[in-house]
Amino acid sequence: MVASVFELFKIGVGPSSSHTMGPMTAACDFAATLPAGVARVRAELFGSLALTGKGHATDHAVLLGLSGERPENLCPDASATTVAAIRATGRLRLGGTADIAFDEARDVLWHQRERLPFHSNGMRFTAFAADGAELCTSVAYSIGGGAVVGEAEIARNAPPEGLADAPHNFHSGDELLRMAAATGLDIGGLALANELAAHSEAEVRTRLAAIRAAMSDCIDRGCRSLEAELPGGLRVRRRAPAVLALLRDRQERALADPLAVLDWVNLWALAVNEENAAGGRVVTAPTNGAAGIIPSVLRYYERFAPGATVEGADRFLLVAAAIGSLFKENASISGAEVGCQGEVGVACSMAAAGLTAALGGTDMQIENAAEIGMEHNLGLTCDPVGGLVQVPCIERNAVGAVKAIEAARLSLLGDGTHRVSLDQVIETMRRTGADMGEKYKETSLGGLAVNVVAC
C-alpha cells in the first residue's frame, strides 16, 4: 500500500524513531486500553530494543508512554522532569490519570538474548491487579520510522499503514513510471493526487509547510545550541555551533571555493542529528537515525538552487515520500532489520529523488537518482558505539546528504537511461539485509561498536 508523505515524515523526538518513538507509542496505546483496577504494569523489551535501548532512551520512552505521552505531542524539556519524578517517587500516572506504584527495576525488563518472532524490536506489556493476577497482555513491534504493529495486525496479514483509497496505488518503481506515463502526471503529481484522496489540497500544503518548518527549526536549534556535549557518556561534543561560526568567518574566502556550499550541507546535517542525539524535536525522514539528510538537502535546494520555490520544496517532499514508500513496502526502513542501509541509505535515495524533482528532472532521472542513492549505500551496517545514535550516525548523515546531492547531479547529467533499476537495487538491499549478521543490525555487538572504546 502506498505510504503517505505524512507517515514517512512524522514530527517527534530523538534519539530514535524505532527505539524511542515506537516504544513510546506502543506503551501509550497499551495504557489507553487498560480497564479500571490495574495496580501494576510491566514492560519487557526484546532483541535490538533490549541491546541498545538504554543508549536510545527506550527506558525513558516506555515510562513516558505509560504516562500517556505521545512523541508528536511531547515537550522534550518537560519529559526529563517526568522521568525523574517517576524514578524518585516510585509512582507513575498510568495513562496520565491513575496513580500506581512503579518499580523500574522490576517493571522494565531487558531480554537481550531473546527475540520475539516477527521483528527484532519486540515489546510485551502486561497489566496486573492488586492481588497479582494478570489482567491482560499485549505484544507490539516497532518496525521503523516510529511505526508500530501488534500481533492482531500480523495475524490477519494486515497491509502496512498507508493511503487505502489512493487512486494511483503503485508497488514498484517500474509501476510508478508506467502510471506516470499513462496518466500524464509526473511522480510528484501522482503523489499529490494520492494525498488528495484523503485530504484537501489546502490541508496537504499546510501540513507540508509544517514539516518543512519543523525540519528548518531543528537545523537552527542545532546550530545555536549552547550545550557542549551530547548526553550518554561518550563525551561527543556538538560541532554544529562551532562549524557555523567558522563558515561565517570564511564567507568571503568561500566565494573562491566551488565546494564551499557542501560545508553548509555538512553543517545542516550535523545540526539535525546532534539535536536528535540530544533527544530534541526532529522529523523522521524516514527515521530519526537518518533525520539529517533530507532536511539538509532540502535547505540546499531552498538556499542555493536558482529559482527555488515553495512548490518545488513541496514537490521535493512528495517525490521523496513516493520513493520511501517503495522501500517501506518492498524492503525495510528499520536498522534493526536490514542495517543502516535501511535508514541512511533510504534517506539518501529519497533525498536524491526529491532534489532531482525539485530541480526539474524527468521521472526517469528521478528514478535514476533514487537508484544511485541506494546503490552506493548497499551493505551499510548499523553498529552504533555504546548503543547511542552518535558515532558513526551523526557524521554518516552529513556524508549521506552530500551523496544524495551527487546522485541527483549525476542523474541530471544524463537522460535517465541506466543499466540498474531502482527495483533491482531495492530487492538487492532487502536480500543484503537478510544476509547481514545480526550483530550489524542495531545491536551494538559488532563493527565500530566493539572496536571503539565506549567509555
Side-chain angles (χ1 to χ4, degrees):
M1 186 181 296
V2 177
S4 169
V5 64
F6 306 117
E7 293 160 16
L8 289 162
F9 299 120
K10 298 186 182 80
I11 299 174
V13 293
S16 172
S17 50
S18 59
H19 287 57
T20 312
M21 290 174 58
M24 191 185 304
T25 299
C28 188
D29 288 345
F30 175 71
T33 63
L34 293 178
V38 173
R40 175 193 164 205
V41 291
R42 181 178 67 203
E44 298 173 83
L45 307 167
F46 297 84
S48 176
L49 283 182
L51 286 162
T52 63
K54 290 190 177 179
H56 288 61
T58 306
D59 47 351
H60 289 214
V62 168
L63 269 58
L64 291 165
L66 291 174
S67 301
E69 298 283 3
R70 292 191 177 275
E72 60 269 27
N73 300 322
L74 186 70
C75 172
D77 293 334
S79 65
T81 302
T82 301
V83 171
I86 294 170
R87 289 173 169 171
T89 64
R91 310 292 299 181
L92 181 148
R93 291 185 63 80
L94 186 61
T97 57
D99 185 71
I100 65 170
F102 191 83
D103 180 351
E104 189 173 354
R106 177 195 65 179
D107 296 329
V108 180
L109 304 180
W110 306 82
H111 300 297
Q112 295 184 341
R113 297 181 180 275
E114 297 180 53
R115 172 181 166 145
L116 295 181
F118 179 70
H119 194 284
S120 186
N121 290 337
M123 299 160 274
R124 182 163 58 223
F125 299 96
T126 308
F128 302 90
D131 62 2
E134 184 176 311
L135 295 174
C136 58
T137 187
S138 175
V139 172
Y141 296 91
S142 180
I143 59 172
V148 174
V149 297
E151 286 187 310
E153 293 95 330
I154 296 167
R156 66 173 184 267
N157 196 28
E161 57 180 358
L163 293 166
D165 298 322
H168 309 292
N169 199 8
F170 55 86
H171 302 282
S172 69
D174 285 347
E175 191 172 12
L176 178 59
L177 290 173
R178 288 198 302 271
M179 281 186 180
T183 61
L185 296 170
D186 58 20
I187 293 174
L190 283 177
L192 178 59
N194 284 340
E195 297 297 336
L196 294 180
H199 315 283
S200 69
E201 182 163 0
E203 183 181 2
V204 171
R205 299 294 183 185
T206 297
R207 293 181 68 181
L208 288 173
I211 290 169
R212 294 200 314 274
M215 288 179 173
S216 184
D217 288 347
C218 186
I219 291 173
D220 293 340
R221 286 196 311 273
C223 286
R224 65 173 181 260
S225 174
L226 298 178
E227 298 174 355
E229 287 186 358
L230 295 170
L234 284 184
R235 308 290 313 266
V236 173
R237 295 184 64 84
R238 284 186 183 252
R239 296 164 60 183
V243 172
L244 176 60
L246 183 64
L247 293 182
R248 284 174 171 169
D249 183 57
R250 288 180 175 176
Q251 275 185 326
E252 289 187 9
R253 284 179 290 163
L255 295 175
D257 182 356
L259 295 180
V261 167
L262 297 184
D263 292 335
W264 288 94
V265 175
N266 286 326
L267 164 67
W268 298 328
L270 292 174
V272 170
N273 281 84
E274 287 172 354
E275 274 297 290
N276 178 64
R281 183 163 293 279
V282 299
V283 178
T284 64
T287 67
N288 285 26
I293 295 173
I294 287 172
S296 57
V297 177
L298 179 58
R299 183 170 280 197
Y300 163 83
Y301 166 74
E302 293 171 332
R303 297 285 177 89
F304 294 116
T309 63
V310 170
E311 290 75 17
D314 282 353
R315 191 179 309 115
F316 183 116
L317 293 177
L318 288 164
V319 169
I323 299 302
S325 178
L326 295 175
F327 282 100
K328 187 172 183 179
E329 179 175 354
N330 298 306
S332 176
I333 60 170
S334 168
E337 194 168 22
V338 295
C340 199
Q341 58 175 355
E343 298 201 33
V344 162
V346 172
C348 179
S349 180
M350 292 170 65
L355 179 60
T356 303
L359 293 175
T362 66
D363 287 345
M364 288 183 63
Q365 288 172 323
I366 290 167
E367 189 262 359
N368 187 17
E371 178 272 322
I372 295 169
M374 173 51 75
E375 182 178 349
H376 302 290
N377 279 295
L378 289 172
L380 194 61
T381 59
C382 184
D383 48 356
V385 176
L388 298 164
V389 193
Q390 297 179 18
V391 180
C393 319
I394 295 171
E395 285 185 352
R396 187 169 284 177
N397 273 256
V399 173
V402 172
K403 191 180 289 187
I405 294 170
E406 169 66 357
R409 294 180 70 87
L410 271 175
S411 72
L412 291 167
L413 289 173
D415 62 3
T417 304
H418 55 110
R419 178 66 181 82
V420 179
S421 73
L422 176 60
D423 291 331
Q424 289 171 325
V425 167
I426 292 175
E427 175 60 13
T428 302
M429 181 267 236
R430 186 191 67 79
R431 293 186 183 186
T432 302
D435 292 340
M436 190 181 290
E438 288 297 315
K439 65 183 180 179
Y440 297 113
K441 295 192 280 190
E442 209 164 359
T443 62
S444 290
L445 296 176
L448 283 175
V450 297
N451 286 302
V452 176
V453 177
C455 61

